[in-house]
Amino acid sequence: MIKRALISVSDKTGIVEFAKKLRELGVEIISTGGTARSLKDNDIEVTKVSDITGFPECLDGRVKTLHPIIHGGILAVRDNKDHISQLKELNIEPIDLLVINLYPFKQTIAKENVEFDEAIENIDIGGPTMLRSAAKNFKYVTVVTDPLDYNKVVNELCENSEVSYETKYELALKVFEHTSHYDTLISGYLRKRLADKEFPEILTLTYEKVGDLRYGENPHQKAAFYRKVEKNEGTLVNADQLHGKELSFNNINDTNGALELLKEYEEPTVVAVKHTNACGVGSGYDIYDAYMKAYECDPKSIFGGIIAANRSIDYRAAEEINKIFVEIVIAPDFDNDALEILKSKKNIRLLKLENIGKKQRKNDIDIKKVNGGILIQNVNSEMYKDELKVVTERIPTEKEMEDLVFAWKVCKHIKSNGIVLAKDKQTVGIGPGQVNRIWAVENSIKQALVEVKGSVMASDAYFPFSDCVEAAAKAGITAIIQPGGSIRDQESIDAANKFGIAMVFTGMRHFKH
């Protein structure tokens, strides 16, 4: 039986209706501050906590419920005779239902230019203490922290005059998840203010569920999608789905890969991705021109792939896209006539993402799971070490240099060992994920559907031997960009000079695994 409830909430959604139902069931309500005023304003009988404790709220409300009369009433084990005896001796009444949600710390730190003192003031102390007390003693105390659970509690009370053990267990679990999440937000906020605490000795991370997915990478795997609890401008979690089926695990993973590459470009650009690897990238004078370049690189692989664009999709681009099957088109917007064309296909997912070009912050982290742990690193936000360095006798032409930079951006985002060929700001051939570099070179040349002669080459890591340069020369490649740093660099430089190829060192490797 629930005879007595303590209610103290920051989020007052549904609380008046819930409290009215409790009073109808004969439950005594005690409350604090703004919650008590809100209930009284709605003609709900309430006893103030300060009247129960005999101690006034103080320190601007910082101390309200931190009192033995409150915590004794929550923590007492009801079938422990000593506990009940002590309650009687101390004149403490049991509290059977606790309804608490916490100061809005998440909403506070999400505000633009929030002051540190304001953030600190929105760290709840009494709320988490009571929640944990009640959750620990869930066998005897029902604890509710989510307004979505109000109806469930009321329905069980109306039907059975009590809340079931199973429900109390679930609600207690929800409390510990909630307080853990809350504390992690606080520690994360404080950690960001200390540059030397980038990788702390104890790491806690918190994410909020976006939703369950139909399945994972394969149909026999279960999966869900979670988001970071902070501003996520320009990221997939903020995209508005305008049309099509719900996103799958692989859709999300592939689209994220496309977005990461797309963010490297300022000019109108389209990135086509299949299994997280780029299969075509083009930059042009408008989005139609960019799309045609991306498509023509590999018309076979783009089928069933992801298309990401950094300009609005217009009528002409939509007409071309609609000629093939693609899983997703994501762009900052769609012209109305383009949207009408693309919506003619029932299953295509159309995603609108504002600030699509916004890059990740340099202090963001990249996480990779390994059995028994995780690896954490800074996101790969750099492109070159310092300035590009020409190491051959021949200097790249202005056009070659533009294409080298274009190809280097693509190469940064494909699986290693990775090679990219490009010409006229269009990928010509892409050789990702090979176990040795010469295979990556040979595959990029072999699979090219656009003429290789006159193109440039990018390599995500240095050439260990001159064979890659020799293969490039045989295919008619005129310039190469690579990190440099091999003990055999001179061998590759000599080969480039022999064949009249310009070579540029970036000083920075871009492995991706």
Side-chain angles (χ1 to χ4, degrees):
M1 288 286 292
I2 291 179
K3 296 181 179 180
R4 201 162 182 243
L6 192 158
I7 302 176
S8 181
V9 292
S10 292
D11 178 3
K12 295 176 175 55
T13 303
I15 196 62
V16 170
E17 294 79 6
F18 185 44
K20 284 181 178 179
K21 289 287 187 182
L22 293 176
R23 287 298 298 136
E24 289 172 9
L25 293 167
V27 178
E28 177 191 354
I29 295 176
I30 58 179
S31 188
T32 63
T35 306
R37 287 191 297 274
S38 179
L39 297 181
K40 283 185 176 181
D41 288 345
N42 284 275
D43 300 321
I44 299 170
E45 186 179 347
V46 177
T47 302
K48 288 186 177 180
V49 165
S50 56
D51 293 337
I52 301 295
T53 63
F55 198 92
E57 294 182 11
C58 61
L59 305 180
D60 297 321
R62 284 189 168 200
V63 180
K64 295 190 286 279
T65 57
L66 295 169
H67 195 284
I69 287 181
I70 299 302
H71 286 274
I74 296 171
L75 282 165
V77 175
R78 307 304 199 261
D79 52 12
N80 183 312
K81 292 180 179 179
D82 289 340
H83 283 200
I84 299 303
S85 175
Q86 288 178 55
L87 289 185
K88 289 178 180 179
E89 289 175 11
L90 297 169
N91 198 27
I92 296 175
E93 292 289 333
I95 295 171
D96 309 304
L97 171 63
L98 186 72
V99 185
I100 301 279
N101 52 57
L102 306 177
Y103 290 174
F105 183 78
K106 180 179 77 170
Q107 293 85 345
T108 300
I109 61 174
K111 294 191 295 187
E112 289 287 346
N113 303 316
V114 63
E115 295 289 339
F116 180 68
D117 286 347
E118 182 183 356
I120 294 301
E121 200 58 37
N122 276 277
I123 296 175
D124 203 325
I125 302 301
T129 307
M130 287 189 290
L131 284 174
R132 290 173 61 86
S133 296
K136 175 179 178 176
N137 206 28
F138 75 90
K139 184 177 178 181
Y140 309 99
V141 180
T142 301
V143 56
V144 184
T145 189
D146 185 349
L148 294 176
D149 292 318
Y150 294 165
N151 284 340
K152 185 174 188 178
V153 170
V154 166
N155 290 340
E156 289 196 21
L157 288 174
C158 290
E159 292 173 10
N160 308 311
S161 299
E162 64 180 3
V163 179
S164 68
Y165 177 90
E166 290 75 17
T167 296
K168 288 190 286 188
Y169 183 96
E170 290 174 5
L171 293 173
L173 171 60
K174 202 166 186 176
V175 162
F176 285 118
E177 289 174 339
H178 182 60
T179 55
S180 173
H181 173 61
Y182 193 79
D183 286 340
T184 300
L185 287 176
I186 295 167
S187 64
Y189 172 76
L190 296 175
R191 187 186 306 118
K192 284 182 179 179
R193 294 172 58 86
L194 298 176
D196 61 340
K197 293 293 183 182
E198 200 166 19
F199 302 118
E201 294 300 315
I202 297 174
L203 178 68
T204 53
L205 302 171
T206 188
Y207 292 79
E208 291 180 344
K209 193 175 188 179
V210 175
D212 292 316
L213 303 174
R214 285 176 295 154
Y215 53 80
E217 205 159 6
N218 299 291
H220 62 276
Q221 295 172 275
K222 294 181 180 180
F225 187 27
Y226 290 80
R227 65 182 293 155
K228 287 198 304 183
V229 189
E230 55 186 68
K231 287 187 176 179
N232 292 297
E233 289 182 329
T235 66
L236 188 54
V237 294
N238 274 8
D240 293 322
Q241 185 164 350
L242 306 179
H243 180 72
K245 298 189 297 186
E246 66 177 283
L247 298 179
S248 70
F249 182 99
N250 291 329
N251 289 156
I252 293 168
N253 195 35
D254 288 349
T255 305
N256 183 69
L259 287 174
E260 287 184 354
L261 172 51
L262 185 69
K263 292 176 188 298
E264 301 289 358
Y265 297 92
E266 300 294 334
E267 64 267 58
T269 299
V270 168
V271 173
V273 162
K274 194 78 165 287
H275 298 298
T276 72
N277 274 310
C279 58
V281 182
S283 293
Y285 54 85
D286 62 17
I287 209 63
Y288 168 80
D289 183 43
Y291 171 74
M292 294 309 299
K293 286 182 176 182
Y295 170 78
E296 288 166 359
C297 173
D298 190 348
K300 290 183 179 179
S301 296
I302 199 175
F303 185 88
I306 310 295
I307 294 173
N310 62 2
R311 299 290 192 279
S312 292
I313 299 296
D314 61 19
Y315 177 85
R316 290 197 305 155
E319 277 196 318
E320 292 298 328
I321 293 169
N322 216 39
K323 291 178 181 178
I324 61 172
F325 166 67
V326 295
E327 290 276 357
I328 290 174
V329 180
I330 184 167
D333 209 346
F334 296 79
D335 293 354
N336 289 335
D337 49 2
L339 203 57
E340 186 176 343
I341 290 170
L342 294 171
K343 281 185 175 181
S344 67
K345 291 189 175 181
K346 182 174 67 173
N347 293 328
I348 187 173
R349 291 112 166 149
L350 304 178
L351 304 178
K352 176 181 175 180
L353 179 59
E354 295 180 356
N355 300 309
I356 200 168
K358 188 175 180 64
K359 296 184 179 182
Q360 290 189 78
R361 292 168 300 196
K362 291 185 178 182
N363 62 349
D364 280 351
I365 59 172
D366 179 52
I367 304 172
K368 297 184 187 297
K369 184 184 179 301
V370 297
N371 286 339
I374 58 173
L375 293 169
I376 290 187
Q377 61 181 349
N378 296 122
V379 293
N380 187 6
S381 59
E382 305 297 329
M383 190 61 66
Y384 319 111
K385 188 170 184 179
D386 292 307
E387 294 183 358
L388 298 177
K389 180 182 179 182
V390 179
V391 295
T392 49
E393 295 168 359
R394 188 171 81 77
I395 298 172
T397 66
E398 183 178 345
K399 179 180 177 300
E400 283 176 329
M401 187 61 79
E402 286 183 353
D403 283 336
L404 286 169
V405 171
F406 173 90
W408 182 245
K409 291 176 179 179
V410 180
C411 202
K412 174 184 172 182
H413 291 273
I414 66 172
K415 296 290 192 298
S416 300
N417 290 302
I419 294 290
V420 173
L421 310 182
K423 182 167 56 176
D424 300 325
K425 294 186 178 180
Q426 174 189 29
T427 51
V428 171
I430 300 174
Q434 298 301 313
V435 293
N436 65 62
R437 196 151 299 279
I438 186 61
W439 285 1
V441 172
E442 290 170 346
N443 279 351
S444 66
I445 295 169
K446 179 182 176 182
Q447 300 300 330
L449 299 178
V450 180
E451 185 180 9
V452 172
K453 186 177 180 181
S455 66
V456 304
M457 173 190 288
S459 172
D460 65 343
Y462 60 66
F463 295 138
F465 306 104
S466 62
D467 53 356
C468 294
V469 180
E470 292 163 3
K474 187 176 180 181
I477 291 164
T478 63
I480 294 172
I481 188 168
Q482 56 131 323
S486 169
I487 59 173
R488 290 191 172 92
D489 272 348
Q490 193 58 49
E491 185 180 321
S492 293
I493 294 169
D494 290 343
N497 285 330
K498 175 182 176 182
F499 296 113
I501 294 174
M503 184 177 287
V504 175
F505 281 4
T506 67
M508 182 173 287
R509 187 183 74 186
H510 286 301
F511 272 170
K512 186 173 184 182
H513 300 114

